[in-house]
Amino acid sequence: MTKYNNDNNVNQQVKNDFNKKIPNLKKYSTIFLALVIFNLLYTIYNVHYTSFSYKSTQYSSGISYETYKYGISKCEEIKRIKPDNNHIQNRKTNPRFVPGTKNVLLKNARILDGIGGDFIGDLLLKDGIISNIAKFEGDYDEKRRINVTDDTVIIDLKKKFVTPGLIDMHSHAGVFSWPDLRGTSDVNEETDPLTPFVRAKDAINPSDPAIRIISSGGITTSLILPGSGNLMGGEGYVIKMRPVSTLSVEDMGINYGINPEEEKEWRWLKMACGENPKKVYWYQNRMPTTRLGEAWLFRKKFEEAKNLFRKQNDWCDFASRLSSIEQLSSPFPEDLQYDSLIALFRGDARLNIHCYETFDIETMIRHSLEFNFTITAFHHALDAYRITDVIKRASSQITIATFSDLWGYKKEAFQASTRSPKILADAGIPVAIKSDHPVTNAQYLAFEAAKAHHYGLDEKLAIASVTSVPANAIGLNHRIGQITVGYDADIVLWDSHPLDLGATPLEVYIDGIPQFDTPVSVLTNSTKKNHSSMKNVNNENTDNTKERTASSVIIKNIGKVFIDEDTIIESNSSLNGKNISIIVKDGLVECIGTNCTNTIDIVTSNSPEVIDLNGGYILPGMIAVGTPLGLVEIDQEAITTDGFAPIIVDLDSEHRVIKAIDGLKLDSKHLNVAYKAGVLTSITAPLSSAVISGISVAFKTGSQTVIDSDETIIEKEAALHVRIGTPYKNDYIPSVSSQIGLLRRILIHALFKSPLRNIYNKVAKGLVPLAVHTHSKDEIASLINLKKQISVHGGDLQIIIIGGAEAHLLAEQLSQYNISVVLRPSRPVPDLWTAKNVLTGSPLTNITGAEILVKHKVKIALGVSNTAWTRNLAWDAGWILHNSKGGLHVGNIANFVAYDGNPFNLHTKIKLVAGGGKKDILIDPIQD
């Protein structure tokens, strides 16, 4: 280190040192410049040479030529103009056609084509499609029939109804298989609220027995969706509902065999908002637990996917501007977890959103506008009818896929209206009716559409709601959902009009293949049920149908009166055509019959309301069994329920058995709906998942309070309810055998050691019925043995089975031991391991369990499995409950329902409700 002695010498010294270093600096600069030039030449050479000579080598840029070309192919796919399925016409083949399938000519059919057409005609099913249609004006014209080859199966339908195959655009069949087991439930991946990357097709069980049962109801195509536990549930998958020999889910898929260059291959997404996701993750103590959290997670995920979407576009845009010797340094940006959302942004996926409330629906529309994607359909959407204008703010037309009358099971379903489909349709919004199977059994999808029609939806729109509307919503209206030449040969032959109560398929064709091999003799049978067009049942308050009350009424022109189980008065037979009248004065029946002239004169002085039934029917009020009416208002909100009964395990526990009467809450919305539907009595048991459930109460649904118990309560101790089966096992009673054992010990102990006033003693001696909730034939057999054992000890059990899905297998024994059955649900399905042996009826089985029980003279009744469907009891029944309190007799309190037609017909409307705990008579009740 040089030391400078004074300041004057510093400058001179620095100059001398610098001059000595100049030669070295020049040398280093020359070397550096040479290195730069060499590196530039090497890079140019390397890029040029490897681009055209060594296409598999790795570049200094970080990607191979294969990676680069893969990115270019992705860009080409993005830019490719996709086929427009709406322009596909006159298809000649169905890619799902099975060689060897016979051609079928359906002659003389009453065709409801799914798009508003209703005509007599012929259909030729050939090569898996509808090959030809002959329409006739008026009657069938043999001269204009379709010419066919000799090997064609010809079926003369004699004007039986034919529709397109029904389409269910919201089902969990295959991912929520029957019977319901932990091992068969694959509907929700509830480990994260955002799982758009999971796919239903990876979990569909093609051997789910529900698939064949569903197709027996005329459903030929289903959109199988993930559940609604997550905000983004994943991808759905559309399948045809026919078995394939390969047991391949791919082979069942609607897109099987299509050419994606000619036909767009849609994808389907499922999302959910509202109560379900926030409830699932509230239990996990993670976001979302509120709608605030839901909206944030939606927007965050959409933004992440949108950023990737933009990067892909940028990469493709930049790649398109490169010269032939240039290449990008990074691969095409993609991330599998965002793939389905990118497809949504690019218009290749159809979005289906589970939403109920008005503000949830609006929030999702807001998201769609913010992130520029299209919503195909809102599902359930029980509040959608209240915001038709808001729904139209979306960037494209939205379909509402909804229920006909399911409601009330949670807060967001509580303000539903049966008029919803009609209101939406009147506003120009497409309405599809769907099942949400197994929430409702998809086998009865046509019945759901029929109920929507009953509540005001136009007949043609009701048919379209399960055919052409869902076909359009899932992007397949070019091949399914209507009877048109070139469409898939998915056809249903009905025994009556599909919107009639109890309408059942005689045969179902999928891809031209008959699914049930119904004998031609059955299909050509001339017997056909008559169809009556819907009356003006629009549930709107007009001057002529305003809901009102009266203390006295005169009902005239009655066609039939069911007095009690032994007496029916019919005007057209026993009375030689004379008109029947019923007079009610101040709540009491004054006269029934044809000789009420004097009574009419007396009552008329008080200006009563006069109701002309025009041949309608009078029935005693119906009784609901099996619902928690009066104890529960909203199933999923504990604060609106009475709460659950305690678990009982000891013999001297009669003081702990709870009574439903102590928890009744009257004048509720559910009770009012039941009352207006003519259900005037409910037998309600305490809420329980224990073996000993408690004592049920029979009460009038129109009552206001239990203080006036004589006016409200019919029977304080209607029955002791117990529950037997695997769902009721717990730590204290861990097996079915211990359940039966506990019941046996309690009853025998009561016979010898308990006083008569003890409920167990009353049950053991037959003074109070024992209502046992169970389905299994084996558990029912154990109860028959229990009855015999108690009789040995001097007891006399009066057992009533509630459930009874397998009861028909023991019909002879049930009849022998005088054990009654309340079928609940009235049309059982094999959804439980202990209820596998169910007869689902035509066209799968020739008989039902109910028919077998009746044949063996077992007393049966129909229960209600879902409180929302209490109002459907007359439709479910088709018969009259035989134990009406007191019957319809002069001098009794009026307790009956008047219909403007046959009550077991969907086209009939309730005109009047008398009794049920209310003093006034309700006229023209409005069903909301």
Side-chain angles (χ1 to χ4, degrees), residues 668-884:
S668 68
K669 184 173 181 178
H670 277 289
L671 284 171
N672 285 329
V673 168
Y675 167 79
K676 290 182 178 183
V679 179
L680 304 187
T681 302
S682 176
I683 299 176
T684 298
L687 302 179
S688 177
S689 58
V691 176
I692 307 298
S693 300
I695 303 169
S696 59
V697 59
F699 66 98
K700 300 175 182 178
T701 57
S703 300
Q704 304 296 306
T705 175
V706 295
I707 295 177
D708 299 323
S709 59
D710 291 341
E711 297 292 329
T712 300
I713 306 302
I714 298 171
E715 182 58 66
K716 294 180 180 179
E717 295 182 347
L720 175 66
H721 290 250
V722 301
R723 299 174 188 274
I724 302 296
T726 54
Y728 313 114
K729 294 187 290 188
N730 54 54
D731 293 341
Y732 302 98
I733 311 172
S735 67
V736 175
S737 54
S738 58
Q739 294 170 358
I740 298 288
L742 172 65
L743 188 56
R744 181 189 302 111
R745 292 193 303 274
I746 285 176
L747 293 174
I748 293 176
H749 177 79
L751 278 172
F752 296 103
K753 296 185 178 181
S754 298
L756 182 60
R757 65 179 180 274
N758 180 289
I759 186 61
Y760 295 149
N761 185 284
K762 293 179 182 179
V763 170
K765 292 184 177 181
L767 302 177
V768 173
L770 179 67
V772 186
H773 298 249
T774 190
H775 285 291
S776 167
K777 61 180 177 58
D778 301 303
E779 290 152 13
I780 294 172
S782 294
L783 291 167
I784 293 173
N785 286 334
L786 177 64
K787 180 179 174 72
K788 293 191 291 184
Q789 293 164 8
I790 296 300
S791 66
V792 170
H793 293 282
D796 184 21
L797 283 182
Q798 300 300 312
I799 296 177
I800 301 170
I801 302 297
I802 298 180
E806 293 187 343
H808 62 279
L809 297 173
L810 296 170
E812 185 176 344
Q813 293 86 348
L814 291 171
S815 179
Q816 178 184 350
Y817 289 99
N818 196 28
I819 296 175
S820 303
V821 177
V822 178
L823 289 173
R824 178 183 179 271
S826 58
R827 298 183 297 276
V829 294
D831 58 341
L832 299 174
W833 182 258
T834 51
K836 300 189 298 293
N837 301 299
V838 168
L839 299 176
T840 58
S842 180
L844 274 178
T845 63
N846 294 325
I847 197 169
T848 64
E851 291 175 279
I852 293 174
L853 291 170
V854 170
K855 181 180 179 180
H856 285 83
K857 298 182 179 179
V858 177
K859 291 182 179 179
I860 69 166
L862 300 188
V864 182
S865 59
N866 189 311
T867 307
W869 292 329
T870 304
R871 60 183 163 204
N872 297 340
L873 191 53
W875 297 335
D876 288 339
W879 51 271
I880 299 179
L881 295 171
H882 58 273
N883 195 24
S884 180

Side-chain angles (χ1 to χ4, degrees), residues 609-621:
E609 178 104 23
V610 178
I611 304 295
D612 189 339
L613 276 195
N614 293 310
Y617 288 28
I618 299 286
L619 268 67

Side-chain angles (χ1 to χ4, degrees), residues 362 365 368-369 387-396 398:
E362 183 178 20
I365 291 175
S368 74
L369 296 175
I387 52 166
T388 56
D389 289 339
V390 173
I391 292 170
K392 294 177 181 179
R393 295 176 186 172
S395 59
S396 64
I398 293 177

Side-chain angles (χ1 to χ4, degrees), residues 486-619:
Y487 277 60
D488 288 6
D490 297 347
I491 298 293
V492 186
L493 281 53
W494 298 88
D495 66 351
S496 58
H497 191 288
L499 299 183
D500 282 346
L501 184 62
T504 303
L506 295 170
E507 185 58 272
V508 179
Y509 292 87
I510 303 180
D511 302 320
I513 303 171
Q515 297 301 296
F516 303 103
D517 296 323
T518 305
V520 173
S521 60
V522 174
L523 301 179
T524 58
N525 189 300
S526 60
T527 302
K528 183 173 71 73
K529 300 176 184 177
N530 293 325
H531 170 65
S532 57
S533 298
M534 176 64 70
K535 300 173 184 178
N536 182 24
V537 188
N538 57 21
N539 289 303
E540 294 178 342
N541 285 327
T542 66
D543 292 339
N544 296 324
T545 62
K546 185 177 181 180
E547 183 177 284
R548 57 207 183 277
T549 61
S551 61
S552 301
V553 295
I554 298 172
I555 309 171
K556 63 180 185 178
N557 292 329
I558 303 170
K560 185 180 289 189
V561 182
F562 293 83
I563 301 295
D564 53 36
E565 61 180 309
D566 299 317
T567 308
I568 299 174
I569 302 175
E570 190 168 3
S571 63
N572 293 327
S573 56
S574 60
L575 300 178
N576 297 317
K578 294 181 179 180
N579 290 324
I580 304 171
S581 298
I582 292 180
I583 314 300
V584 178
K585 181 181 179 183
D586 296 328
L588 295 179
V589 178
E590 294 283 331
C591 183
I592 304 173
T594 59
N595 300 311
C596 295
T597 306
N598 294 334
T599 308
I600 290 176
D601 292 339
I602 295 171
V603 175
T604 302
S605 62
N606 296 322
S607 301
E609 178 104 23
V610 178
I611 304 295
D612 189 339
L613 276 195
N614 293 310
Y617 288 28
I618 299 286
L619 268 67

Side-chain angles (χ1 to χ4, degrees), residues 37-233:
I37 294 171
F38 175 80
N39 188 59
L40 180 61
L41 291 173
Y42 177 80
T43 300
I44 294 172
Y45 170 81
N46 189 42
V47 169
H48 177 75
Y49 183 76
T50 54
S51 295
F52 296 98
S53 302
Y54 299 98
K55 295 184 179 180
S56 63
T57 58
Q58 189 76 18
Y59 302 112
S60 59
S61 60
I63 64 171
S64 67
Y65 181 77
E66 285 83 358
T67 300
Y68 171 71
K69 293 300 290 182
Y70 169 78
I72 295 299
S73 69
K74 296 292 288 187
C75 295
E76 291 172 350
E77 176 62 23
I78 289 171
K79 295 176 181 179
R80 182 175 70 91
I81 299 176
K82 306 294 195 306
D84 185 349
N85 292 345
N86 290 323
H87 292 163
I88 297 175
Q89 295 180 348
N90 298 322
R91 296 164 67 243
K92 301 300 181 185
T93 60
N94 178 349
R96 298 180 47 80
F97 172 66
V98 176
T101 301
K102 291 185 177 180
N103 300 340
V104 177
L105 177 65
L106 302 175
K107 288 179 54 180
N108 197 14
R110 173 81 178 273
I111 298 171
L112 308 176
D113 64 9
I115 51 175
D118 181 351
F119 56 91
I120 303 298
D122 291 352
L123 295 177
L124 177 61
L125 312 183
K126 180 181 178 182
D127 297 331
I129 64 170
I130 301 170
S131 178
N132 200 349
I133 300 174
K135 296 182 181 181
F136 306 112
E137 298 294 335
D139 292 332
Y140 185 77
D141 186 354
E142 186 69 32
K143 296 179 180 179
R144 297 179 57 196
R145 66 183 178 85
I146 299 172
N147 294 320
V148 296
T149 57
D150 292 340
D151 59 350
T152 299
V153 177
I154 302 175
I155 303 172
D156 186 350
L157 294 180
K158 297 181 173 64
K159 299 183 181 179
K160 291 186 179 69
F161 287 96
V162 170
T163 68
L166 308 188
I167 301 167
D168 187 0
M169 66 176 290
H170 188 132
S171 176
H172 304 298
V175 293
F176 206 149
S177 299
W178 284 344
D180 181 12
L181 300 169
R182 184 176 299 175
T184 60
S185 179
D186 292 296
V187 71
N188 282 300
E189 180 55 51
E190 292 177 351
T191 54
D192 191 284
L194 300 165
T195 57
F197 39 80
V198 301
R199 304 184 301 182
K201 76 174 181 179
D202 297 324
I204 292 173
N205 171 17
S207 300
D208 180 1
I211 292 174
R212 185 155 174 79
I213 293 172
I214 291 168
S215 66
S216 76
I219 292 79
T220 57
T221 303
S222 295
L223 171 56
I224 310 301
L225 293 168
S228 55
N230 291 343
L231 298 175
M232 296 183 179

Side-chain angles (χ1 to χ4, degrees), residues 299 302 306 345 351 353 361-375 389-396 398:
R299 296 179 68 231
F302 283 137
K306 202 70 174 184
F345 293 147
L351 177 58
I353 307 179
I361 294 171
E362 183 178 20
T363 295
M364 293 309 300
I365 291 175
R366 187 183 304 119
H367 295 335
S368 74
L369 296 175
E370 179 181 3
F371 295 98
N372 193 27
F373 61 83
T374 297
I375 298 171
D389 289 339
V390 173
I391 292 170
K392 294 177 181 179
R393 295 176 186 172
S395 59
S396 64
I398 293 177

Side-chain angles (χ1 to χ4, degrees), residues 192-198 230-234 269-271 286-287 293-310 335-342 344-345 364 367 370-371 373:
D192 191 284
L194 300 165
T195 57
F197 39 80
V198 301
N230 291 343
L231 298 175
M232 296 183 179
L269 287 182
K270 170 69 180 300
M271 296 183 188
R286 61 180 295 192
M287 187 183 285
E294 287 184 353
W296 161 244
L297 289 179
F298 268 127
R299 296 179 68 231
K300 182 174 182 291
K301 197 70 170 180
F302 283 137
E303 180 61 21
E304 292 170 358
K306 202 70 174 184
N307 284 336
L308 180 58
F309 173 82
R310 297 185 188 104
D335 188 331
L336 191 58
Q337 69 172 310
Y338 296 107
D339 182 64
S340 61
L341 295 179
I342 298 297
L344 174 65
F345 293 147
M364 293 309 300
H367 295 335
E370 179 181 3
F371 295 98
F373 61 83

